[in-house]
């Protein structure tokens, strides 16, 4: 047998031994391949996210909107049917960390869910989102509520109200009340004709 043939035989034998050893270990430890594998999406951990949404934003939209007026909380990708409790605190620089709103929510079979619309006084806030089975800290979001002030509407002046004169102007003079309208002139009766008087005066010469 040549040296080349011996090397080939040794290589084949070594390969067979490695394969046999691997099979032996696999059968000797049947539980080794039975370790649980995390499901896609990381169920059972702190998976999922929560967003602040303007009230006009569609629920499936996954963007976060940190400047709102009327808003709702929208959750995605948590464990199916997970229970959530949430708090909103007033937050510096405008708040004192007091709880201003809170609630609970049961997520659907996809791990999604959302609250109804809500609003708060203008200011800075922080959302704390806790859920059953969390291993770390609550999900958190900070956001601003900024609603525009209502535009004041001018009240119309009541009808027939006199406009006051500007300061320093003389008071308006009273208008004379109109008198009766003059009628046609009354006819003047004609003077009576002269009546002759009998002469009683003395005759002078």
């Amino acid at each position: 047998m040549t040296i080349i043939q011996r090397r080939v035989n040794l290589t084949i034998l070594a390969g067979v031994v490695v394969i046999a050893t691997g099979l032996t270990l696999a059968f000797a430890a049947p539980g080794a391949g039975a370790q649980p594998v995390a499901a896609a999406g990381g169920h059972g951990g702190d998976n999922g996210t929560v967003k602040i949404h303007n009230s006009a934003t569609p629920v499936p939209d996954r963007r976060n909107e940190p400047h709102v007026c009327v808003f709702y909380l929208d959750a995605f990708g948590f464990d199916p049917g997970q229970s959530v409790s949430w708090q909103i605190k007033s937050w510096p620089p405008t708040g004192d960390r007091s709880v201003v709103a809170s609630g609970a929510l049961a997520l659907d079979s996809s791990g999604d869910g959302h609250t109804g619309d809500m609003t708060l006084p203008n200011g800075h806030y922080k959302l704390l989102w806790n859920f059953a089975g969390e291993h770390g800290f609550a999900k958190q979001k900070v956001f601003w509520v900024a609603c525009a002030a209502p535009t004041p509407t001018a009240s119309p002046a009541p009808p027939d109200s006199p406009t006051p004169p500007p300061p320093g102007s003389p008071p308006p003079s009273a208008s004379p009340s109109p008198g009766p309208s003059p009628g046609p002139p009354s006819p003047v009766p004609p003077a009576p004709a002269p009546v002759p008087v009998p002469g009683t005066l003395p005759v002078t010469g």
Side-chain angles (χ1 to χ4, degrees):
M1 181 179 295
T2 65
I3 295 176
I4 295 175
Q5 288 177 333
R6 286 181 182 177
R7 287 182 179 175
V8 171
N9 290 340
L10 287 175
T11 303
I12 294 172
L13 180 61
V16 171
V17 170
V18 170
I19 293 172
T21 303
L23 291 173
T24 301
L25 291 175
F27 286 113
Q35 296 299 322
V37 178
H43 290 324
D46 291 344
N47 51 293
T49 184
V50 60
K51 308 293 184 182
I52 308 294
H53 272 179
N54 187 295
S55 61
T57 301
V59 170
D61 194 326
R62 289 185 175 237
R63 63 182 160 162
N64 189 58
E65 297 174 296
H67 295 85
V68 292
C69 176
V70 181
F71 66 96
Y72 66 97
L73 312 178
D74 202 358
F76 305 95
F78 288 89
D79 290 348
Q82 209 163 27
S83 297
V84 172
S85 62
W86 56 268
Q87 290 183 337
I88 296 176
K89 294 184 176 183
S90 65
W91 206 250
T94 62
D96 58 1
R97 302 175 190 263
S98 60
V99 176
V100 295
S102 61
L105 186 65
L107 304 181
D108 63 18
S109 59
S110 298
D112 299 343
H114 61 89
T115 67
D117 289 349
M118 64 185 92
T119 191
L120 293 167
N122 288 358
H124 194 219
Y125 297 92
K126 185 171 188 176
L127 166 68
L128 302 173
W129 182 272
N130 294 95
F131 47 93
E134 70 179 46
H135 300 305
F137 298 104
K139 301 287 182 179
Q140 302 177 11
K141 285 286 185 295
V142 290
F143 62 100
W144 290 87
V145 172
C147 295
T151 304
T153 55
S155 301
D160 300 333
S161 59
T163 303
S169 60
S173 58
S175 301
S177 57
S181 301
S186 301
V188 178
V195 178
V197 178
T200 57
L201 296 177
V203 178
T204 59

